[in-house]
Amino acid sequence: ELPAVVLKLGEDAIEADLESLGLTELPAVGTKLGEDAIEADLESLGLTELPAVVLKLGQLTTLVLDGNRLVELPESLSDLSGLTELHCRNNRLRQLPGGLCACHRLEGLFFEGNQLSELPERLGVLGTLRGLEVSRNELCRLPESLTQCVELEGLYCDHNRLEVLPPSLGHMIALEELSLRHNGLTALPASIGMLERLRELRLSHNRLAALPVEIGLLTAVKGLFLDHNRLSSLPAEIGNMASLEDCNLENNKLKSLPGTVVDLANLKGLYLENNQLDTLGFVPAKMAGLRRMSIAGNGLSNAETASLEAAGIELKRPTMKE
């Protein structure tokens, strides 16, 4: 049965953290937690299904189910109409219920570390969604309707099986962070240039052979991560990315860099290790802000390497995040 301390929470409970009480299931008497609870933390309780009592908490705004053994969520999740955040990381979910799309106040969905092969086709009806974390799943595509989430600020889809992106990706004009590392992407849609608020673009470990010229329209991007792809050249328009501070191009097939690189006045780190460069094609001394580079695994002359050191540029690899 529930400890007395829980029973004393009564109907005005604001938060119920059952993990700290050592519970592995939610007994029926848990209804005494009260219908006015707005947060429920059921993390790491070994749950295999969502306790029915949770669906009776009509005022619930935050539901945490991380680290359980859930294989599905009920369609009746739609009963939690006031839900704004749903945390369900590191479970065993293979699909999400359509009823999730009836929770029209949702702002954050966190499903990292499951077995999802697809997302609901109607996900785009969640007009208030600001953050979507679906990394480390088995997604092969993103629903086209997702691009209707025009309030979305962060989209995280690392370690999936994505090969293409929705052509209308650029309609998500509020995006500030887009992370698609460790997928199978071969191209980017031209509409990506519409993401005027984008600050971080992470595309490491894909199969990109070229970038669209529209990449140059991303004038707010500070971090561009394109290492471990198949790029053999860069569009000259990359020089228009006026806010760019860190650019990782390691482990590609670059044979040259566009001369417009010198126009990147705010660039501090440029990482070029393991490409096919015989020359940089620009004079580092003309880039006053450039402080860090990696150049090993290319064919640069000793004289050019010496010119980098003379310009006060530190030759080192970036700190990698996986």
Side-chain angles (χ1 to χ4, degrees), residues 77 86 95-111 116 118-134 139 141-152 154-157 166 172:
L77 194 67
L86 177 57
Q95 62 181 7
L96 299 178
L100 180 68
C101 298
C103 300
H104 294 295
R105 297 183 183 179
L106 276 169
E107 296 181 6
L109 288 173
F110 307 93
F111 291 103
L116 298 174
E118 61 181 4
L119 298 176
E121 290 295 331
R122 296 181 59 248
L123 199 61
V125 303
L126 300 178
T128 58
L129 195 63
R130 294 182 180 276
L132 178 61
E133 166 61 278
V134 288
L139 298 173
R141 56 181 290 272
L142 297 175
E144 183 69 31
S145 74
L146 180 62
T147 65
Q148 298 172 23
C149 296
V150 295
E151 298 296 325
L152 195 66
L155 177 58
Y156 309 95
C157 304
M172 293 187 286

Side-chain angles (χ1 to χ4, degrees), residues 138-142 157 159-166 180-189 203 205-209 229:
E138 300 174 9
L139 298 173
C140 295
R141 56 181 290 272
L142 297 175
C157 304
H159 292 273
N160 277 285
R161 301 178 181 178
L162 301 175
E163 296 185 359
V164 296
L165 297 174
L180 298 161
R181 300 172 302 168
H182 291 273
N183 279 283
L185 297 174
T186 57
L188 301 177
L203 295 163
H205 293 270
N206 277 282
R207 301 174 185 172
L208 298 172
N229 276 281

Side-chain angles (χ1 to χ4, degrees), residues 101-298:
C101 298
C103 300
H104 294 295
R105 297 183 183 179
L106 276 169
E107 296 181 6
L109 288 173
F110 307 93
F111 291 103
E112 180 180 6
N114 280 278
Q115 301 170 24
L116 298 174
S117 58
E118 61 181 4
L119 298 176
E121 290 295 331
R122 296 181 59 248
L123 199 61
V125 303
L126 300 178
T128 58
L129 195 63
R130 294 182 180 276
L132 178 61
E133 166 61 278
V134 288
S135 295
R136 299 183 187 278
N137 278 281
E138 300 174 9
L139 298 173
C140 295
R141 56 181 290 272
L142 297 175
E144 183 69 31
S145 74
L146 180 62
T147 65
Q148 298 172 23
C149 296
V150 295
E151 298 296 325
L152 195 66
E153 297 175 356
L155 177 58
Y156 309 95
C157 304
D158 302 328
H159 292 273
N160 277 285
R161 301 178 181 178
L162 301 175
E163 296 185 359
V164 296
L165 297 174
S168 56
L169 178 73
H171 292 178
M172 293 187 286
I173 56 175
L175 266 185
E176 296 182 6
E177 293 190 18
L178 177 58
S179 194
L180 298 161
R181 300 172 302 168
H182 291 273
N183 279 283
L185 297 174
T186 57
L188 301 177
S191 68
I192 197 170
M194 298 168 62
L195 302 178
E196 296 180 354
R197 300 184 191 176
L198 199 65
R199 294 183 292 104
E200 294 279 339
L201 179 56
R202 307 183 191 113
L203 295 163
S204 309
H205 293 270
N206 277 282
R207 301 174 185 172
L208 298 172
L211 299 177
V213 296
E214 289 80 5
I215 199 82
L217 298 174
L218 301 178
T219 56
V221 167
K222 293 185 176 183
L224 179 62
F225 305 96
L226 289 160
D227 53 285
H228 295 87
N229 276 281
R230 301 176 181 179
L231 299 173
S232 58
S233 64
L234 300 174
E237 288 79 4
I238 200 169
N240 296 329
M241 300 179 71
S243 299
L244 193 61
E245 295 181 0
D246 282 288
C247 182
N248 193 334
L249 295 162
E250 292 186 341
N251 293 284
N252 277 282
K253 299 180 180 181
L254 295 173
K255 297 180 180 179
S256 64
L257 298 176
T260 54
V261 168
V262 298
D263 296 330
L264 299 173
N266 290 301
L267 194 64
K268 296 179 175 64
L270 178 60
Y271 307 103
L272 301 166
E273 185 169 312
N274 294 329
N275 276 281
Q276 300 173 20
L277 298 170
D278 293 325
T279 181
L280 291 176
F282 65 91
V283 180
K286 292 184 178 181
M287 302 180 70
L290 190 59
R291 289 291 176 264
R292 300 177 301 276
M293 290 185 67
S294 66
I295 58 171
N298 285 283

